[in-house]
Amino acid sequence: MMHSNDYDITFGPSFISDKSTNLYTYACHETERELCLMELTELFGHEPDGEDWLESEQWVDPDRSPFLSACIDVRMTGESIEEMAEQAGSIHLNNASFKVVCLKAGDRFSYEQSRGYERVVGRQITGIAQMKAPDVTLGMISTGGIWRLGLLHEPERAWLKHKQKPQNYSTGLSSRIARALVNLAVPRLSEVTLLDPCCGMGNVLIEAFSMGIAAEGRDINPLAIRGARVNLRHYGYDDNKVAIQDMNTLQGHYDAAILDLPYNLCSVFPEEEKLQMLQSLRRLSDRAVIVSTEPLREQLMSTGWKVLRHCTTHKGSFVRDIWLCE
């Protein structure tokens, strides 16, 4: 499949060559908004600029985050739609077909207004207008009265297939939350190693592997490891990356770890076991994302962890605390 960048596109004198920028849009359910903002802040190094958009010179594949909905590789800016249309006259797509999409983010417009703006800009572009399956899709957005126009990248969201696992817990991490946790633990995709010492059915591992991250999973529960292996094989990943082991006896060191502390809705998780797991995690990794269903700040501090960020997610009355620590 060819992408917009594969075609011969001329942007004329308005092309921004000295300082490239990307405009990202994002969306989330209110129950996961804290996690969304926390994840995007780690990925981009700063908090989002608006309620549903952020601007960055840094490129992040919109498929990485479960919350990113689009990215515009900004080539032109203007203070009015008329100025935007005038600049669009310098875009020459030669024999490529195209369409212009006004994103539903930033400054809000009615459906009729958005379609009208698309036509105003699209009429000035040299190319073959085509709404269905065009060769090139151009995105535009207005934020605070400033318009931006450029190549539009939309996520394929292949990770959504991970929702239908052969094996799963009813209270297990969703593929969306698991993916966000991996991005918190490993915001930069370099040569890093990731540990999930209580991996359960492998939800976190599947998201990590799908992003090309070297990860390993352990769990003390044989049934969980059996289920994890089934899930990993289902998606074509190496099922030898998981093994039965108590994290307190695990040796070695990893760049990052994600620990979803065990919980039981019918009994209390012993405090001594919790502290021992946090101490073992401190020995195994310098950076960690820790998930709990109970307050944890004092225990984290007493076991040598520094809390960088904290948020909560909700699913009905079930609340998860998420701690990013080093």
Side-chain angles (χ1 to χ4, degrees), residues 64 182-183 185-195 205 207-216:
R64 271 203 71 182
V182 173
N183 286 329
V186 188
R188 306 289 172 265
L189 288 180
S190 54
E191 294 185 4
V192 296
T193 53
L194 176 68
L195 171 69
L205 296 174
E207 299 309 318
F209 290 148
S210 72
M211 288 187 253
I213 297 170
E216 295 180 9

Side-chain angles (χ1 to χ4, degrees), residues 3-161:
H3 298 277
S4 299
N5 289 337
D6 296 323
Y7 292 92
D8 183 16
I9 305 173
T10 304
F11 281 90
S14 297
F15 172 73
I16 302 175
S17 58
D18 58 331
K19 189 176 182 181
S20 178
T21 185
N22 303 293
L23 193 294
Y24 296 85
T25 59
Y26 66 93
C28 61
H29 191 272
E30 61 181 8
T31 60
E32 295 175 354
R33 184 162 181 83
E34 289 183 20
L35 175 60
C36 169
L37 297 178
M38 186 167 154
E39 183 223 44
L40 294 178
T41 300
E42 285 299 310
L43 284 177
F44 291 96
H46 65 82
E47 295 182 357
D49 301 272
E51 285 293 312
D52 51 14
W53 65 276
L54 67 89
E55 195 167 14
S56 177
E57 295 176 31
Q58 180 180 333
W59 164 255
V60 172
D61 188 333
D63 257 318
R64 271 203 71 182
S65 169
F67 305 116
L68 290 176
S69 51
C71 172
I72 298 177
D73 175 6
V74 179
R75 304 302 179 94
M76 299 174 175
T77 61
E79 296 184 359
S80 67
I81 194 65
E82 291 77 16
E83 184 179 344
M84 202 79 272
E86 182 180 352
Q87 292 189 52
S90 67
I91 300 176
H92 300 281
L93 300 175
N94 301 314
N95 295 321
S97 61
F98 76 95
K99 71 174 178 180
V100 179
V101 177
C102 185
L103 299 187
K104 298 176 183 178
D107 302 334
R108 296 303 179 117
F109 305 105
S110 68
Y111 177 85
E112 292 76 15
Q113 283 177 309
S114 296
R115 301 296 82 78
Y117 293 151
E118 291 168 358
R119 289 191 290 270
V120 167
V121 172
R123 279 197 294 264
Q124 304 304 315
I125 297 172
T126 302
I128 304 167
Q130 183 174 311
M131 295 306 296
K132 293 184 178 180
D135 298 323
V136 177
T137 301
L138 297 168
M140 65 179 187
I141 187 173
S142 173
T143 60
I146 301 298
W147 284 91
R148 297 169 180 82
L149 175 68
L151 298 173
L152 180 64
H153 303 274
E154 296 179 290
E156 296 180 5
R157 297 187 184 277
W159 60 268
L160 285 174
K161 297 177 183 178

